Amino acid sequence: MSRKTSKKAKAQKPKKQRKKHEKTEYEKGRDKHREHTNRHYVEIEIHPEPAEQAFLLSYASSNAYVGRRIRAAMRIGLEQLDRNKGYQRLRKEYGETKEHLKTLTPDGDMAIAETEHLESIKAQLTYWQNYYDVTHANCVEIASHYGKQCGVHAHIVRSTCEDVWQGVEAVLFGDGKKLNSPHSDYEYPVIKAREINRGIVLKVDKKTQELYIVMTDPHERAKNRGRTRRIIRFAPPADDLWLTAEYQRIVAFMLDPHAEEKHVNWFMETGEVTDTWRPC
């Protein structure tokens, strides 16, 4: 006589919802200070070792390939939209309605009716863009796919994706007629990250007081688990006094963990904006 045993299903615990972080007064002041602080670019030419140079060229070429694949996919959708007479008619009507709306009184009945009509046209344009896969979500999905395939850091791929999407927006909503590929993709490929602590991490050596860049090497990660990073050191030329001074100010800021806090507290007390030389 056989006896069947039944397993009781385990009750799943409800997932805890993350509490939304509420910014403190200091964080609000820091954001305002960063918004009003002067910004400028500092270009420093580096001379890496042959191994690091080969790594950078290979990495940049892979990132450029990802950018070309994104543009190719977006270009197909844009060409299909260009051949769609209904979409072109809606786009023309959208532009005319938007210009006519500028001439009307904002609170008038005519302006309200035109605004509703404009939203209706915008919804129809969005439908066709989704139909032909010409959306920001599609752009990110394609970038993520080829980024993983080529071993490029997700944050660097996202920066490349945003650059391509700016061109797509110029064609969709601006005066752009065609999505072109920059010459830098073939001659001088670019590696770019929009944040200083992801993808391309900037650090400072406390002993030598020199800046260096840390990047993840996907090929080394696959071969050897112990070595997954590439360290590239750089310094300004000794005869360039202005660049040397800027370099030293950046190093001084990164060595002092409370440097920005001092500037923000002064800004909150007096309202005076002071330069921090914070790399961003």
Side-chain angles (χ1 to χ4, degrees):
M1 185 175 178
S2 62
R3 184 173 57 182
K4 295 182 180 180
T5 58
S6 61
K7 294 182 178 179
K8 294 183 179 179
K10 293 182 179 180
Q12 293 183 354
K13 295 182 179 179
K15 293 183 179 179
K16 295 182 179 179
Q17 294 182 354
R18 292 183 179 180
K19 294 183 179 179
K20 188 177 181 181
H21 174 68
E22 295 183 1
K23 292 186 177 181
T24 61
E25 292 298 324
Y26 169 77
E27 290 174 338
K28 293 177 181 178
R30 183 190 61 189
D31 293 343
K32 289 182 179 179
H33 183 264
R34 289 181 178 180
E35 183 180 351
H36 294 91
T37 306
N38 296 323
R39 296 187 180 187
H40 63 278
Y41 292 92
V42 177
E43 294 185 2
I44 301 177
E45 184 177 352
I46 65 175
H47 301 280
E49 298 293 331
E52 278 67 29
Q53 186 176 2
F55 162 72
L56 289 173
L57 290 173
S58 175
Y59 203 99
S61 299
S62 299
N63 186 47
Y65 172 78
V66 174
R68 290 196 295 271
R69 299 310 304 171
I70 302 171
R71 290 187 188 89
M74 292 292 105
R75 196 176 289 119
I76 292 173
L78 289 172
E79 290 174 354
Q80 291 174 332
L81 283 174
D82 189 51
R83 291 193 295 266
N84 190 316
K85 294 183 180 180
Y87 178 82
Q88 294 303 323
R89 177 182 55 79
L90 288 169
R91 185 180 177 185
K92 183 179 179 180
E93 187 179 356
Y94 181 84
E96 293 175 350
T97 307
K98 195 172 183 179
E99 290 298 325
H100 181 242
L101 188 61
K102 294 179 182 178
T103 62
L104 301 175
T105 307
D107 297 332
D109 295 337
M110 190 68 177
I112 296 174
E114 286 293 291
T115 303
E116 293 177 354
H117 181 55
L118 194 68
E119 291 296 325
S120 175
I121 299 173
K122 187 177 180 180
Q124 295 179 64
L125 289 171
T126 303
Y127 166 79
W128 285 113
Q129 291 164 14
N130 288 324
Y131 183 81
Y132 290 115
D133 295 333
V134 188
T135 63
H136 185 265
N138 295 119
C139 194
V140 172
E141 184 180 356
I142 296 166
S144 177
H145 170 73
Y146 286 103
K148 291 179 181 179
Q149 189 179 37
C150 297
V152 182
H153 193 279
H155 202 70
I156 297 175
V157 169
R158 188 60 183 266
S159 300
T160 305
C161 174
E162 294 299 330
D163 291 342
V164 175
W165 182 247
Q166 287 182 1
V168 174
E169 283 185 323
V171 178
L172 289 174
F173 312 112
D175 299 329
K177 296 182 180 180
K178 188 178 180 182
L179 183 63
N180 297 318
S181 298
H183 295 291
S184 60
D185 276 7
Y186 303 94
E187 298 176 1
Y188 303 102
V190 177
I191 307 173
K192 181 170 64 174
R194 295 180 179 269
E195 293 184 21
I196 203 67
N197 57 352
R198 292 186 179 183
I200 305 173
V201 183
L202 181 65
K203 294 189 176 183
V204 61
D205 191 333
K206 295 182 180 180
K207 293 182 179 180
T208 61
Q209 295 190 358
E210 291 181 349
L211 298 176
Y212 63 94
I213 295 171
V214 179
M215 293 181 64
T216 303
D217 189 342
H219 302 291
E220 290 293 338
R221 177 185 291 180
K223 294 179 183 178
N224 184 7
R225 293 183 180 180
R227 184 184 179 188
T228 62
R229 301 188 304 169
R230 290 281 185 173
I231 298 176
I232 303 167
R233 300 180 180 273
F234 62 94
D239 57 348
D240 195 329
L241 299 180
W242 180 84
L243 194 58
T244 302
E246 292 290 305
Y247 183 89
Q248 290 173 352
R249 290 189 181 107
I250 296 172
V251 170
F253 176 86
M254 297 187 68
L255 287 174
D256 185 0
H258 304 290
E260 187 177 18
E261 185 178 350
K262 298 174 185 176
H263 290 272
V264 173
N265 289 334
W266 178 257
F267 170 73
M268 294 174 67
E269 291 176 5
T270 64
E272 181 182 355
V273 179
T274 54
D275 295 332
T276 61
W277 280 272
R278 178 182 66 90
C280 58

